[in-house]
Structure formats: structure tokens, C-alpha cells
Amino acid sequence: MFPEAGPLAAAVCLAVGVTGFVLQRSTEPPIIPAEMGEQGSVLRYPARRVLIAALAGMGVIVGTIDVVSVAFAKAEGRPAAASLVLSLYALGSFIAGLAFGAARIGLPLPKLFLIGAGMTAASTLPLLFAGGIGGLAVMMFISGVFFTPTMIVAVSIGEVAVPPSKLTEGLTWLTTGLGIGVAAGAAMPGAVVARFGVQAGFTIALAAGALIVGAAFWGYRRLSRVEADGGCEHSRSCFARGRAKLKKAQRPRRSVAGPVNWRVSR
């Protein structure tokens, strides 16, 4: 194959995935007019800031793994093996995402988030002791298994932690936090690896795991309160009000003034 085959295949998969996502309308949330929603930014909700911090930490893990895995494979004299390592990380995330989405777990979302944060952080620790490509690949697969369910839970909490009219903004902030983390995670390991060695690069992922756990512990009570309120911080019935207003807005209006005579001017 040619060198451009990898990016080309990724571009094709991206196009197919985005097209399928856009065509999926059954899970699309209803449109709520802005005037029916609450004013102000969603950043004023503490629960939202907790989730952004946690997803930023998860992004740092992804960015760090991408860079340090390549450096690790090169140090082992097998640079092409980096693709195998990263593929197993993605495979673990893929399998766990499908399984977690199909499962029915009775635990509250905040508790699931706390457990997922702890397991995601713990899965970065063995990376410091990887002794070869095979061991690193296995550890990457396990790390990927815990990553996706934690992210799913974080986004699920994010959906109910804001008023319905603020859903788009709320989810945008979550993906922004994740993207900032990925960028930071890709930028930091290079200098660390160059100065302290390849294994030291994984300490950045470990520190990011500590950030995730810290955010989950610090925000656990706040997130639990949001779920107990039925969603939407500072407003116990905001979802009920938003849906009622939406139904009212969509209800056809009847004229009480009789038929209207339309006059067409030429």
C-alpha cells in the first residue's frame, strides 16, 4: 500500500460515520425556542464545570497515549508496531462502548461516573511498567475498555444537567473540554520523553487520571443532586417546564375571530 492509505481510510470511515449520524433522526432531541429557555451560559452550573474538567483529563490521556506509544515502539526498534498498540486501544474502547450501551445497569449515573473515573485512572498506572510491545498492547486494550464507558456516562449526565434549551451549548462545552485535553496531551509528552525517557511520558496520563478522579470526587455530591432533581441544576422541574412549553408551542392554534379574508394587491 501507499503511505497515504492510512489517512485516506480514516477519512472514508469519518465520512461514512458522520453521514450515518446525520441521517439518524430518531434520537434527535426536540427543538426548543430560545425564548422558552433559561438565560445565561451553562458554565454557571458547577456540575457542568466538573464534567468539562473530567473530559479534559480524559482528552489528555488520549493525546498522551497517541504520542508516547509511537515513541515507545520506536525505542523498541519496531516503529510499525505503534499502529497495533493504538488499534488495540481503539478496539477496547469500541467493544466496551457497544457492551455498555446494550447493558442495563441499575446504579445511578453519578456513582457510575465515579467508578469509571477511578478505573480509567487506575488503568494508566500499569503503562509505567510496560516491558515490551506485547505488554503495552494488552495494557492499552484494558485502558480503552474503561475509557469509553466513562465518557458515555459523563455525556449522559451532561444531557440532564442543563435546561433543554441549553442542550447544544452544554454538549459543545463537553466536547470542547475533551478537545483541549487531547491537544494538551499531544503537546506535553514530547519534551518529557526527550528529557526523562519514554516511560516517563506515561506519567502525564497518570496525572490526567488523577485529575479525572479528583473532579469525580469533588463533583459527586453536586452530580447526585442534579440527578435527584430530575436534571437541571438550580431548577428542580426545568425539564418538565421545558417539555410543557414545547408541547404548548407545537399545539395548533385555533382562530377565535372567525375566518380571515385575505386581500391580494396587484
Side-chain angles (χ1 to χ4, degrees), residues 2-161:
F2 49 95
E4 296 81 3
L8 181 60
V12 171
C13 291
L14 177 64
V16 172
V18 170
T19 302
F21 177 75
V22 171
L23 294 177
Q24 173 60 270
R25 298 297 183 88
S26 62
T27 57
E28 188 177 61
I31 298 176
I32 297 180
E35 60 270 16
M36 293 184 178
E38 299 185 15
Q39 302 302 314
S41 173
V42 298
L43 291 179
R44 73 181 188 274
Y45 300 127
R48 177 65 42 173
R49 298 196 291 269
V50 169
L51 295 174
I52 292 173
L55 285 176
M58 297 180 73
V60 170
I61 291 178
V62 173
T64 300
I65 283 176
D66 285 347
V67 174
V68 181
S69 295
V70 174
F72 188 97
K74 186 176 181 180
E76 291 287 312
R78 301 169 59 188
S83 60
L84 172 63
V85 172
L86 296 175
S87 296
L88 285 175
Y89 182 76
L91 180 62
S93 298
F94 173 74
I95 294 175
L98 291 179
F100 188 80
R104 294 292 180 266
I105 303 176
L107 293 176
L109 286 177
K111 186 169 291 187
L112 284 176
F113 181 59
L114 187 61
I115 295 172
M119 297 306 296
T120 299
S123 67
T124 63
L125 183 61
L127 300 177
L128 299 175
F129 309 102
I133 292 295
L136 181 63
V138 173
M139 295 174 189
M140 286 292 188
F141 179 84
I142 296 173
S143 184
V145 166
F146 292 114
F147 184 90
T148 299
T150 306
M151 184 173 175
I152 291 174
V153 173
V155 175
S156 298
I157 296 175
E159 289 183 9
V160 299

